[in-house]
Amino acid sequence: MGDGLTDRQTAFRVWALPGIPEVREGDDLAKLIAASVGESGEPLEDGDVLVVTSKIVSKAEGRLVAADDREEAIDAETVRLVARRGPTRIVQNRQGFVMAAAGVDASNTAPGTVLLLPEDPDASARGVRAGLRELLGVEVGVVVTDTFGRPWRNGLTDVAIGAAGLRALEDRRGDVDPFGNELALTVTASADELAGAGDLVKGKVEQLPVAVVRGLAHLTTREDGPGARPVARDAASDMFRLGTSEAIREAVLQRRTVREFTDEPVDGAAVRRAVAAAVTAPAPHHTTPWRFVLVESAEARTRLLDSMLAAWRRDLAEIDGWDEERIARRTRRGDVLRGAPYLVVPCLVAGAEGGAHGYPDARRAAAEREMFVVAVGAAVENLLVTLAGEGLGSAWVSSTMFCRETVREVLALPEAWDPMGAIAVGRPAAPAKPRPARSADSFIEVR
């Protein structure tokens, strides 16, 4: 039996166990496997690894369920949609695996039934291991497998969904290669490699659901271990956890107005990537009626915001007629722009420079400007959603629209550039509060 210190072997054998009958609910898998071992004439040895197809585990555990509609069964086993293309769904299931159809299987089952994955594949592997220890007196590793597709690769392969008595991941970080280079990223998915090796000799059609791998005892452990769960990548480190359309929808839904930011500097390259997405927005006449001013220096932000504050105070005094005390109370409130480490000022460029058509009447000229304003709004939405995808919070604040001349002067903008608010950007200081449910129905009229 391996203990993690056994020397690495340079060869191994793998063979399928014959004679395992059709498995039914309540069957003892360890007894069926032990009987098959006896028929094979090749006794198990300490350090062997049993590779067991999850289908027979599910059947023994009563996971065969009536389901006239497989899609309903998939819905019941799904906790998160990852990607969809036509009827095909890649989802995260209740066991935490990302796979097609939540692992719901309609092959090799009676019509009107489907087979679900084991409720706890690691516990299933531990049970088979303990049963073989009791029946045959051997310490083996056990891998419970299922068939997965893989991103960027055609074809299916078996992978581990449950394990006991072996290290699902073999961490080689810190080892040194023959050239003296220290391995920094090498963590081998040993359980998946064992699953793939077993799948080469197992088969649905041949009804050979169990394989034995011998010669890799260095991968086995005396303890049951943490199972196959360490193989599943957690959400925080998964760069590809959503399909394209789902990622776009998720980014739109997760975009929230952030009013408090940390002091962490904002990566200007991330903002520029967001601007690149912004300028793909639709606009009239194939024009590009937007410009984005990136206010990156603290000095420029302070000068801009101080000038805007002075303009606001003048308006309150000269137009609204407020006294100094009331103005002080009003302008003392927290300023989301001043608390952000980065500002973006989107500008509308209409007129000839922006490509607007000239109209002799005010009605059509006003409509033309409105089209360009809508285009800027679409570009800003692209910007905000992309910033959210970059992990940055944002708040679109309209204040520059009340003192456009001031903003143009401070930022040295051309006369034709019309500041359309300012966007505060930064790392959110706290998680967003749950978004209240909002049905689209109340915003829809059908004719």
Side-chain angles (χ1 to χ4, degrees):
M1 190 64 182
D3 57 6
L5 302 177
T6 306
D7 289 340
R8 178 176 294 271
Q9 279 77 25
T10 59
F12 68 92
R13 292 174 54 210
V14 57
W15 67 93
L17 290 179
I20 294 179
E22 179 67 24
V23 176
R24 303 187 185 282
E25 183 176 355
D27 283 348
D28 187 325
L29 281 185
K31 287 184 178 180
L32 293 178
I33 293 171
S36 179
V37 169
E39 291 181 17
S40 72
E42 181 94 52
L44 293 181
E45 299 177 359
D46 289 349
D48 287 345
V49 178
L50 273 293
V51 183
V52 183
T53 301
S54 64
K55 187 181 292 289
I56 64 170
V57 178
S58 294
K59 288 182 176 180
E61 295 179 356
R63 298 285 283 165
L64 187 70
V65 299
D68 294 329
D69 185 351
R70 182 175 179 239
E71 296 303 309
E72 291 184 4
I74 295 171
D75 290 341
E77 293 296 300
T78 294
V79 298
R80 179 172 63 87
L81 176 67
V82 175
R84 180 196 297 271
R85 183 162 297 176
T88 301
R89 283 187 283 171
I90 306 298
V91 305
Q92 182 179 21
N93 66 10
R94 295 193 295 110
Q95 288 84 356
F97 303 116
V98 175
M99 60 191 307
V104 175
D105 196 346
S107 64
N108 284 341
T109 65
T113 64
V114 296
L115 196 62
L116 310 181
L117 290 180
E119 188 74 36
D120 184 345
D122 286 329
S124 304
R126 293 193 295 269
V128 171
R129 184 178 192 235
L132 291 173
R133 181 191 302 119
E134 181 178 348
L135 292 167
L136 302 179
V138 292
E139 290 287 356
V140 297
V142 176
V143 180
V144 177
T145 72
D146 199 64
T147 303
F148 278 47
R150 299 153 300 154
W152 310 295
R153 308 283 287 183
N154 287 321
L156 305 173
T157 185
D158 264 18
V159 302
I161 64 169
L166 57 88
R167 295 187 304 278
L169 295 174
E170 187 180 14
D171 192 345
R172 305 297 306 281
R173 290 173 296 184
D175 289 358
V176 178
D177 70 15
F179 296 95
N181 301 307
E182 183 175 316
L183 304 181
L185 300 174
T186 305
V187 180
T188 303
S190 302
D192 284 349
E193 292 183 326
L194 289 163
D199 192 42
L200 292 173
V201 297
K202 297 193 286 98
K204 294 180 181 179
V205 177
E206 298 83 359
Q207 292 187 308
L208 297 171
V210 180
V212 180
V213 179
R214 177 168 296 167
L216 298 176
H218 67 285
L219 298 177
T220 61
T221 60
R222 291 187 176 90
E223 302 298 325
D224 283 334
R229 289 198 176 275
V231 179
R233 195 183 298 274
D234 60 36
S237 60
D238 187 355
M239 295 174 66
F240 309 101
R241 67 189 304 260
L242 295 172
T244 302
S245 61
E246 290 73 24
I248 293 171
R249 180 178 182 275
E250 185 76 7
V252 170
L253 293 176
Q254 292 303 314
R255 187 218 61 77
R256 306 291 295 276
T257 295
V258 174
R259 301 185 183 281
E260 295 183 1
F261 304 92
T262 69
D263 294 331
E264 181 180 350
V266 171
D267 179 8
V271 178
R272 285 164 174 79
R273 289 193 292 271
V275 172
V279 299
T280 67
H285 319 313
H286 307 289
T287 56
T288 54
W290 42 66
R291 301 294 184 271
F292 294 88
V293 182
L294 309 185
V295 189
E296 295 184 329
S297 75
E299 185 275 331
R301 289 194 302 275
T302 299
R303 185 157 43 88
L304 173 65
L305 297 176
D306 285 351
S307 299
M308 290 170 59
L309 176 61
W312 185 19
R313 292 176 66 90
R314 284 196 301 272
D315 282 350
L316 292 176
E318 298 173 7
I319 300 176
D320 297 282
W322 288 15
D323 59 33
E324 183 59 33
E325 182 180 353
R326 188 178 181 187
I327 292 174
R329 286 199 308 269
R330 179 68 178 88
T331 57
R332 196 181 298 126
R333 296 176 185 177
D335 186 344
V336 63
L337 296 178
R338 201 173 288 273
Y342 198 107
L343 297 180
V344 178
V345 178
C347 295
L348 165 66
V349 181
E353 181 181 349
H357 291 178
Y359 291 101
D361 60 300
R363 174 179 59 83
R364 287 187 293 169
E368 180 82 353
R369 177 179 170 79
E370 287 175 351
M371 289 194 298
F372 278 68
V373 171
V374 170
V376 172
V380 168
E381 174 69 358
N382 280 6
L383 182 85
L384 300 180
V385 169
T386 308
L387 288 173
E390 295 276 358
L392 293 169
S394 62
W396 187 14
V397 181
S398 62
S399 52
T400 68
M401 301 171 72
F402 291 89
C403 53
R404 290 183 166 110
E405 290 299 331
T406 298
V407 175
R408 275 195 286 266
E409 179 181 350
V410 172
L411 297 180
L413 303 181
E415 185 66 27
W417 289 27
D418 198 353
M420 302 294 286
I423 299 167
V425 182
R427 297 286 176 184
K433 295 180 180 179
R435 188 190 295 273
R438 180 183 291 174
S439 170
D441 294 342
S442 59
F443 302 93
I444 295 173
E445 293 290 336
V446 178
R447 297 291 186 265

